[in-house]
Amino acid sequence: MPTPRLDTATPDSRATDGAPRERLVVVGNGMASLRFLEHLTEGCPGRFDVTCIGAEPRAAYNRVLLSSLLGGEIDEGATAFRGLDWYEAHGIRLITGAPVTAIDRENGLAIVGETHILPFDRLVLAVGSLPIRLPKPGMDLPGVITFRDLADVAAIRKAAVQHARAIVIGGGLLGLEAAAGLSRLGIDTTLLHVMDRLMERQLDHPAAGLVRRAMEARGVKVILSADTAAVEGEGKVERLVLADGTVLPADLVVVSVGVRPSVALAQAAGLATNRGILVDDRMATSDPRIFALGECAEHRGLVYGLVEPAYEQADALARHLAGEGGEYRGTHLSTSLKISGLPVFSAGLVDTPADAEAVTLFDPGAGLYRKLLLREGRLVGAVFVGDIAEQAACKALIRSGDPVGDVDDLMFGRPAPQPLAA
């Protein structure tokens, strides 16, 4: 085994006043990591000697655009955020394609691969999450692929040859995006979901029905309440078998049934973990020198798998390390996106609880649905499909808890200002 090498050479190891800079190592170079670095360099430029290490072979990119890349709507270059020159200009040493394999807390060292050692004074874990593979027979067959990163997109596109039959397992956001991307490639695509409606965490039944109709209009077959029993084939994927005995021919199976926080590195280092790496309001772990943010972090019992909370955590941590007292108190979740060209928004509660009133507008022919959930005159949930113009106002009211006032303004939109009389 090669002898590990201690890295002491840094681009500029002293601050502008000549004092040694704190050595900050950021493990992970995804969207949350980059957001943190952007805000840190804005809030306290030159304060830290920063090294960022990413396991993927390229700098942070926009995972939200993976389905567009898969479907051929954009090229890989369109997913990029910052060029290598940005990292260099901000004094950040970026190491790509090199996972951190261990953390030596006692000596303040991050081990990269088997040969490189980085000393740190503070360390940030932004290691994201890992895609879940169903514990079913055949999930290790060639042709079973997850949908999570650029490498997955390349593997799917390679497998999705002409006349291939693809099955996507999972009716959440990523599953819908994968199915839409495959359909845009002209692939015969079937989407399976174990629940009785798509995106059940974000949409109620009428809204989910409109999304299903939009997917089917794009050529995606949708099967609900579909429990996968096994994937079968001789040396490669040939078919998928459902629990009810239904057999579906398949040349490619894309698994998109959720993610689990990446905690192995933290656990091996002796940090406190539960579902994710436990953090406080300053995003500090059980070791006050080590912080965690994004999909790997568990804050107040919650693990978020969305971009918005990760960005808010990154902002809070950057403020804290800049000495501005930043704290993260949790995120009011909302979803705003387009699914097969159909605008969708939801925030707060989705299904109507017994103590709330639902105000709805539903026009299936126009593909329009709006639902407001009110409790004692205050907005606690909203689901819009087709027209999401009032999403910002809904998010603000749910967060503030202020009285709604005129419900018609949210349901039908605020009237345009009238010109003053001459």
Side-chain angles (χ1 to χ4, degrees), residues 372-404:
L372 303 174
L373 292 175
L374 303 170
R375 181 185 288 139
E376 298 179 354
R378 289 171 168 78
L379 191 66
V380 294
V383 180
F384 292 171
V385 177
D387 180 358
I388 61 175
E390 304 306 316
Q391 62 172 315
C394 289
K395 287 171 64 175
L397 284 168
I398 292 172
R399 286 176 174 173
S400 69
D402 292 338
V404 169

Side-chain angles (χ1 to χ4, degrees), residues 237-260:
V237 171
E238 295 177 351
R239 57 192 168 273
L240 183 145
V241 182
L242 298 178
D244 65 3
T246 301
V247 178
L248 302 172
D251 304 294
L252 166 67
V253 173
V254 178
V255 182
S256 182
V257 294
V259 295
R260 60 169 57 92

Side-chain angles (χ1 to χ4, degrees), residues 50-392:
V50 183
T51 301
C52 181
I53 309 157
E56 292 191 63
R58 58 165 289 178
Y61 57 88
N62 192 344
R63 294 182 189 274
V64 176
L65 297 178
L66 288 181
S67 63
S68 298
L69 177 63
L70 175 61
E73 296 178 302
I74 60 173
D75 60 20
E76 188 172 315
T79 68
F81 280 123
R82 299 284 191 177
L84 298 180
D85 56 342
W86 180 87
Y87 294 87
E88 183 177 357
H90 288 81
I92 299 169
R93 179 193 301 170
L94 177 64
I95 301 172
T96 59
V100 171
T101 53
I103 298 168
D104 180 348
R105 290 168 53 201
E106 182 177 356
N107 297 298
L109 301 172
I111 292 83
V112 184
E114 297 180 343
T115 63
H116 209 68
I117 297 177
L118 290 170
F120 67 84
D121 299 302
R122 303 195 194 213
L123 182 121
V124 176
L125 294 171
V127 291
S129 57
L130 301 172
I132 296 172
R133 282 183 179 258
L134 293 173
K136 307 285 186 176
M139 283 291 158
D140 57 347
L141 281 172
V144 179
I145 305 171
T146 56
F147 181 58
R148 186 66 182 160
D149 56 29
L150 285 173
D152 292 334
V153 171
I156 292 170
R157 296 196 72 172
K158 183 178 180 180
V161 296
Q162 191 175 13
H163 305 305
R165 297 160 298 183
I167 293 177
V168 177
I169 305 175
L173 175 58
L174 281 179
L176 292 173
E177 290 182 338
L182 285 165
S183 180
R184 283 194 291 268
L185 289 176
I187 303 301
D188 181 349
T189 305
T190 299
L191 176 66
L192 307 180
H193 193 42
V194 71
M195 304 301 289
D196 63 352
R197 69 181 191 263
L198 300 174
M199 293 184 66
E200 71 279 355
R201 294 183 179 180
Q202 293 87 19
L203 303 178
D204 62 4
H205 281 87
L210 291 178
V211 170
R212 175 179 182 172
R213 191 173 72 177
M215 294 294 292
E216 291 175 335
R218 293 296 182 98
V220 177
K221 305 179 189 71
V222 178
I223 304 177
L224 301 176
S225 302
D227 185 9
T228 299
V231 177
E232 298 178 346
E234 297 299 323
K236 63 181 180 64
V237 171
E238 295 177 351
R239 57 192 168 273
L240 183 145
V241 182
L242 298 178
D244 65 3
T246 301
V247 178
L248 302 172
D251 304 294
L252 166 67
V253 173
V254 178
V255 182
S256 182
V257 294
V259 295
R260 60 169 57 92
S262 182
V263 298
L265 187 63
Q267 287 176 336
L271 297 174
T273 63
N274 187 27
R275 286 181 57 220
I277 304 168
L278 296 178
V279 296
D280 61 17
D281 290 354
R282 296 176 299 114
M283 307 310 297
T285 68
S286 53
D287 184 328
R289 300 170 303 163
I290 300 178
F291 304 84
L293 59 85
E295 294 177 340
C296 65
E298 179 175 338
H299 175 264
R300 298 188 182 185
L302 295 176
V303 175
Y304 301 98
L306 299 171
V307 173
E308 183 180 5
Y311 278 179
E312 292 182 4
Q313 292 172 1
D315 298 348
L317 178 56
R319 292 196 306 272
H320 170 66
L321 292 183
E324 299 174 3
E327 289 190 344
Y328 175 70
R329 302 296 179 86
T331 299
H332 293 277
L333 292 179
S334 64
T335 299
S336 181
L337 64 151
K338 279 191 175 182
I339 301 172
S340 291
L342 184 67
V344 174
F345 165 74
S346 74
L349 300 180
V350 172
D351 293 312
T352 309
D355 62 345
E357 171 193 5
V359 181
T360 62
L361 169 67
F362 190 23
D363 185 347
L368 179 65
Y369 179 72
R370 286 191 165 194
K371 181 171 79 170
L372 303 174
L373 292 175
L374 303 170
R375 181 185 288 139
E376 298 179 354
R378 289 171 168 78
L379 191 66
V380 294
V383 180
F384 292 171
V385 177
D387 180 358
I388 61 175
E390 304 306 316
Q391 62 172 315

